[in-house]
Amino acid sequence: APLRESVEKATKTKNEAEASLAIVMAKVAEIEKQCAELDDKLNGAVAEKERVEAQAAACLEKLELAERLVNGLADEYKRWTETVKELKDLQQKLIGNCLLASAFVGYISPFSMSFRVRLWKEAWTEDINTRGIPVTKGIDPLKVLANEASIAGWQNEGLPSDRISVENASVVTSCSRWPLMIDPQLQGVKWIKQRFGEDLSVLQFTMNNWLQKVLFCIQMGGQLLIEAVGQEIDAILEPVLSRAVIKRGRTAMIIKIGGEEIDYDPKFNLMLQSKLPNPHYRPEIAAQCTIINFIVTPEGLEDQILAMVVNVEKPELEQQKQELVRKQNDFKVTLAGLESDLLAQLSTADPATILDNIPLIEGLEKTKATSKEIAIQVEQAQKTEVEINTSRELYRPVAAEGSMLFFLIIQLCFIQHMYQYSLDSFVNFLYKAIDRTEPTDDLDERVKRLMTVIRMTIFRWVNRGLFEAHKIIFCAMLTFKLFQKGALQEDYIPAHFQYLLKAPAVVGAENPLQEWLPAKNWGLVLKLNDLEGFDNFAANMEKDAPTRFKEWFNEVAPEEVKLPLDWKRLDNTPFQKLLVLRALRPDRTCSAMADWIRVSLPNGRDYMDCDGSSSFSAVLSNSFDDATSTIPIFFILSPGADPVKEVEAMGKKSIGLSLGTNYWNVAMGQGQDVVAMAKLDIGHREGHWVMLQNIHLMPGWCVDLEKKLDVFAIENSHPNFRLFLSADPSNGIPIGILERSIKLTNEPPQGMLANLRRSFALFPKEDFEDKDAKVKSILFALCHFHSLMLERKKFGPMGYNMMYPINAGDLRDSATVLYNYLEGSSSVKIPWDDLRYIFGEIMYGGHIVDDWDRRMCQKYLQYFMKDELLDEIDMIPYAEGKLSWASPQPSGHERYLEHIETMPPESPLFFGMHPNAEINFRTAQCEKVFGLLVSLTGGGGGGDGEGDGDSMSPMALAQMICDEILEEINEKRFPTDDVGRSMSDEEKGPYQFVFLQECVYMNGLLYEMVKGLQELQLGFKGELTMSEVMEDMAKCLYSEKLPMWW
């Protein structure tokens, strides 16, 4: 019972406690519920706080991005506003701008710079404005075709920076027809090769399997450059040139070439290049291709030469300049790229989410930063450029001299096809001249020395490859060019210069001095009288002192005698005295001009007598120093010339030359082409010398030879390999061979003095000093005799009844016979009869087949080869005291050279002839020389005559003369039929028949004249294509010469 009671008590207590616990637990649950509700409120408040804070941060970030975007676009706003304005204006005027640019691409590229400007700036723009077509004022078509970034990129690829080169590049990149580049200096080709790099396929028509390479490029859509095309392009490429592409199906395109259909890839791009300086292409080719004139301009070449000279003289300066130009070009390209990217991103951006476009905003900031950085660098670069250009400009006269010389020598090919010179060869000798110039710290003196040495180096290089008749022309061209530039002491007056060149005459004027002055000369005097400074010349001749002028006119060498009256003052202005000689004594004009060049041109004697005292062996040895494994020596042959002996003698002395071992000599002819190619390959590999003679006999094979030399240049020949070529003048010799070669001629020089110098130089000083006194005297007389025999040729039929190939070999062989006879001989008596016979009948007589010519030769030898020669003898035979020149006493080599320089002025008396014997040939020489000078320096031909002041362009002058002549003769005809019918049979006699025949001939001439002039008129108006015959007629009219057909 107590236990039960305790249980009940405990149970009761437990129940109470559980009741109390339930109450407490209920309270706890209620409190926990309240806490959970508070926690939920807290979490909601915190989340709301975080959301609001995130929203605030996003707003701030967008605000910052918006600010960055606005700041970034702020700098662009002004420019873009202007751009929008310009684009709106351009929208209205786009048609006129595109019209001008399209015409520029389509038509302007064949022309020269001055003609291009006249065409688009004056003719086309004015015509567009006249027709009311909207066009931007002052528009430059180049700005339409290319922007600064494109131009900078082209220049980084090697394009010359002059305006015409940039225009050409814009045409090449814009034209829809295939570009055909007239590029003799290879400026355009170098840019194209650098522009396309390894993606470009290059070939020539002379290569093997060239057609397969063309087909491969067409099928694969490659870039193709065909180099060195001629005036005719292979007919098999006609479908390619005309783009005769056939579309099959939806996408397939084919083209038919040589009867075979091949796939055509639209990506295919063809470019053609010609080395010809003035090619005449068929109209079809001109229509299929865009002809682009890449011929280097004087200004462009001057800038290039300036860079070359400064690069040698001040390499750090030129390197800085080039780096500066490259940086500035890169700046332009970079800015253009950034702007293009920016505009692309802006155009694709969503306006609603533009602030979320972080790359756009960062790109904008980068553009802005880069732009500011570039602006600072450009400003610094401009300052640096001014400093660099100031330093570079000090060498500008040297560059101008080089440019002038190059454009002088490339005109020589119009005289003779063999006179071809490339820009690379010119630059090669330019560098040699700079290296040879004596150094000095005085910059002005250095520039003067550079100009002098460059002029002489280039002149000697070219002069050695000219025939004697053309050397005075080249020298005169150089002197006249310097005269025009004001580099000589006398003042240049264009009217005086034109008179000297053309010698215009008044036709049909009465001659009051006909007793002693020909009518033609009086016509020349009347025209001279119209020139400034010669106002009273004709009156003085006619009325004041006709006798004294007659005496001057009859002088043997009037250029050395003062003119009568006040005209003696012309001795102080020798160029003006040349005009008087041109009018009165044209036969003495060339001699007087040579004397004027010697005096007026700085160091003129060195130019006129260039290499005159050197033997051909010495000239060859000197030129050999400039030859390399890729630069052959080319001998331009003349009658009697044989350079093989000199080449072999030089080789034996320098490298121990041995035929069949390290030297191969091939005389070209039928079947020798295979032999020549084999020897060339051996020489190329082993470093031998190869001599190919008379290559003009195989003009077709010469193309293969050019190709072989191109391959050798790529493969790098053995450094000791040397190639010698010889040929008669021939148009069949490829220009590429001539341009790369050092050209030499071996003609006897003109004039007794020059011939005697050259003849005496044939014998080395060391050998001459060792000779006996008798041998020296006879040898000198033999040299003089040799000069007489050579110089007689110029008199034509009065010199010889036939022309003979007398050459230096005859003199050398005669001297050898002389040595054999007299060296070591103990006999006191000289075998004159034997010497005269050997010289006159064998050595020189071996050439002579006419009895009278042989007799003349013997007469000379009888005069010279006698005992009196050993004492003292007059070296001018049969002059009867009118002219005298004593033989020198036996002495040293130098004494003989000094005595040669004392020779009297040349005269026919040297040959035992009358003084008048030279008038005919010297007059003909004068007409020929000045005729060539007119064609070379007088301008004739070409439509870009640059007139200044009142002067007219060549074509404008030709057109005016054409109109005048046509107006005068258009209606003139002789009524031969009416006259013939009006005469009775009794009235018709021999005189009447001859008269009627002459009238018929005259009518035929008038018909040809009118027909030719009318065609030329149509050509001037552009209604007829100018043919070569029409161009020649225009040149003749401008030069005041009779056209060939007349």
Side-chain angles (χ1 to χ4, degrees), residues 142-152 154 336:
L142 185 58
K143 294 291 196 310
V144 180
L145 297 171
N147 54 34
E148 287 190 353
S150 300
I151 295 171
W154 297 338

Side-chain angles (χ1 to χ4, degrees), residues 607-743:
Y607 291 87
M608 278 304 301
D609 303 329
C610 184
D611 292 324
S613 301
S614 303
S615 66
F616 180 68
S617 299
V619 172
L620 174 59
S621 178
N622 187 270
S623 299
F624 182 77
D625 294 338
D626 296 323
T628 66
S629 58
T630 57
I631 302 177
I633 291 182
F634 196 115
F635 299 104
I636 305 176
L637 300 178
S638 52
D642 182 14
V644 176
K645 290 183 180 178
E646 281 80 3
V647 171
E648 292 177 349
M650 179 180 68
K652 288 174 183 176
K653 190 181 296 184
S654 59
I655 64 167
L657 204 67
S658 175
L659 185 63
T661 304
N662 58 356
Y663 168 60
W664 309 96
N665 187 342
V666 182
M668 300 309 298
Q670 188 173 5
Q672 292 300 302
D673 49 348
V674 178
V675 177
M677 285 298 188
K679 302 308 179 190
L680 281 172
D681 287 331
I682 294 172
H684 161 69
R685 290 194 309 270
E686 306 294 334
H688 296 171
W689 287 17
V690 180
M691 178 85 185
L692 303 181
Q693 299 185 59
N694 302 319
I695 64 171
H696 63 280
L697 298 177
M698 304 185 71
W701 175 80
C702 286
V703 177
D704 296 332
L705 174 62
E706 181 184 10
K707 170 189 160 185
K708 175 72 76 173
L709 296 181
D710 289 336
V711 172
F712 286 174
I714 295 170
E715 293 179 356
N716 293 324
S717 301
H718 191 288
N720 293 335
F721 171 60
R722 293 294 182 273
L723 176 61
F724 301 88
L725 306 169
S726 73
D728 286 347
S730 168
N731 291 341
I733 309 292
I735 293 175
I737 293 178
L738 295 169
E739 284 185 339
R740 79 183 74 201
S741 303
I742 297 173
K743 291 171 280 295

Side-chain angles (χ1 to χ4, degrees), residues 457-559:
T457 302
I458 298 298
F459 180 86
R460 183 180 287 114
W461 163 53
V462 175
N463 192 69
R464 285 173 172 174
L466 302 181
F467 289 117
E468 289 299 319
H470 300 148
K471 288 182 177 179
I472 189 172
I473 295 173
F474 179 45
C475 207
M477 288 169 64
L478 173 61
T479 310
F480 289 155
K481 185 62 72 175
L482 293 172
F483 191 30
Q484 290 170 332
K485 292 175 67 177
L488 306 186
Q489 293 180 351
E490 289 184 66
D491 293 332
Y492 172 72
I493 302 173
H496 289 186
F497 179 64
Q498 290 299 322
Y499 182 88
L500 179 68
L501 290 184
K502 298 180 183 177
V506 174
V507 181
E510 184 180 352
N511 180 11
L513 305 173
Q514 57 186 351
E515 293 181 5
W516 57 273
L517 186 69
K520 181 181 179 182
N521 295 83
W522 179 248
L524 291 167
V525 169
L526 292 178
K527 207 72 174 178
L528 177 66
N529 203 70
D530 295 338
L531 296 180
E532 180 186 352
F534 291 90
D535 303 337
N536 301 316
F537 190 79
N540 290 158
M541 278 188 66
E542 181 184 356
K543 299 175 182 177
D544 299 333
T547 306
R548 293 172 63 184
F549 272 101
K550 179 181 178 181
E551 291 172 357
W552 182 87
F553 178 80
N554 289 325
E555 287 284 348
V556 175
E559 67 272 15

Side-chain angles (χ1 to χ4, degrees), residues 42-183:
L42 177 63
N43 290 336
V46 169
E48 180 66 18
K49 174 194 170 192
E50 288 177 350
R51 187 185 67 77
V52 171
E53 284 180 348
Q55 191 174 359
C59 287
L60 289 173
E61 186 178 352
K62 283 189 177 181
L63 199 61
E64 183 185 355
L65 289 171
E67 187 177 357
R68 287 166 64 186
L69 182 64
V70 169
N71 289 338
L73 292 173
D75 291 340
E76 304 294 330
Y77 175 75
K78 184 177 180 181
R79 188 170 57 80
W80 284 351
T81 303
E82 290 293 325
T83 303
V84 169
K85 186 179 177 182
E86 289 173 5
L87 288 173
K88 285 183 178 178
D89 181 61
L90 183 62
Q91 186 178 8
Q92 304 295 323
K93 299 175 179 177
L94 188 63
I95 184 170
N97 295 355
C98 289
L99 175 62
L100 184 64
S102 300
F104 191 90
V105 171
Y107 299 106
I108 213 161
S109 53
F111 302 113
S112 64
M113 186 65 197
S114 58
F115 192 74
R116 290 183 184 189
V117 172
R118 281 165 49 198
L119 203 55
W120 73 259
K121 186 175 279 189
E122 298 173 18
W124 292 350
T125 307
E126 188 176 329
D127 184 60
I128 289 172
N129 290 328
T130 304
R131 295 174 184 273
I133 301 173
V135 65
T136 303
K137 187 176 181 181
I139 182 67
D140 183 350
L142 185 58
K143 294 291 196 310
V144 180
L145 297 171
N147 54 34
E148 287 190 353
S150 300
I151 295 171
W154 297 338
Q155 291 173 354
N156 283 348
E157 291 162 355
L159 182 76
S161 58
D162 56 296
R163 162 89 187 197
I164 196 166
S165 296
V166 176
E167 286 182 358
N168 291 338
S170 69
V171 174
V172 169
T173 54
S174 304
C175 63
S176 58
R177 294 174 292 172
W178 306 127
L180 170 53
M181 298 176 287
I182 311 302
D183 187 25

Side-chain angles (χ1 to χ4, degrees), residues 102 146 179 395 423 484 512 536 565 679 700 790 915 920 955 995:
S102 300
Y395 291 95
L423 183 58
Q484 290 170 332
N536 301 316
L565 305 178
K679 302 308 179 190
L790 287 172
N920 284 342
M955 287 296 102
F995 169 73

Side-chain angles (χ1 to χ4, degrees), residues 756-923:
L756 186 53
R757 284 176 184 154
R758 176 68 63 85
S759 300
F760 195 70
L762 195 62
F763 306 102
K765 180 179 179 179
E766 300 77 18
D767 295 348
F768 186 82
E769 296 286 5
D770 294 338
K771 302 302 178 188
D772 183 70
K774 294 183 292 185
V775 176
K776 289 180 179 179
S777 296
I778 299 173
L779 191 58
F780 182 80
L782 195 58
C783 290
H784 188 76
F785 164 75
H786 177 75
S787 303
L788 285 172
M789 295 294 287
L790 287 172
E791 275 297 286
R792 282 190 73 94
K793 292 181 182 179
K794 68 187 180 186
F795 293 99
M798 285 192 290
Y800 291 100
N801 288 329
M802 298 176 65
M803 288 293 113
Y804 306 110
I806 296 170
N807 58 74
D810 301 317
L811 176 60
R812 183 175 54 238
D813 295 341
S814 298
T816 303
V817 170
L818 176 65
Y819 299 157
N820 293 339
Y821 257 79
L822 299 185
E823 290 293 323
S825 173
S826 58
S827 174
V828 178
K829 187 177 180 182
I830 296 174
W832 294 114
D833 291 338
D834 293 356
L835 293 177
R836 281 194 294 266
Y837 184 84
I838 292 172
F839 298 158
E841 298 291 339
I842 300 174
M843 297 303 177
Y844 288 87
H847 297 294
I848 300 172
V849 295
D850 182 82
D851 292 338
W852 288 101
D853 291 338
R854 189 183 297 273
R855 184 177 179 184
M856 176 271 298
C857 176
Q858 285 290 353
K859 270 299 209 183
Y860 278 146
L861 288 170
Q862 286 173 14
Y863 180 87
F864 289 116
M865 298 296 139
K866 55 187 179 183
D867 289 330
E868 288 82 349
L869 177 65
L870 306 179
D871 185 13
E872 184 176 286
I873 189 175
D874 194 340
M875 299 302 291
I876 302 176
Y878 313 114
E880 299 175 354
K882 295 177 183 176
L883 192 64
S884 178
W885 185 47
S887 61
Q889 294 295 322
S891 56
H893 189 271
E894 293 296 330
R895 178 70 187 87
Y896 275 95
L897 290 177
E898 292 171 7
H899 185 77
I900 289 172
E901 297 303 320
T902 65
M903 178 184 285
E906 188 173 342
S907 162
L909 294 171
F910 267 93
F911 309 90
M913 296 179 174
H914 189 276
N916 289 347
E918 65 178 0
I919 290 177
N920 284 342
F921 93 82
R922 287 200 180 277
T923 303

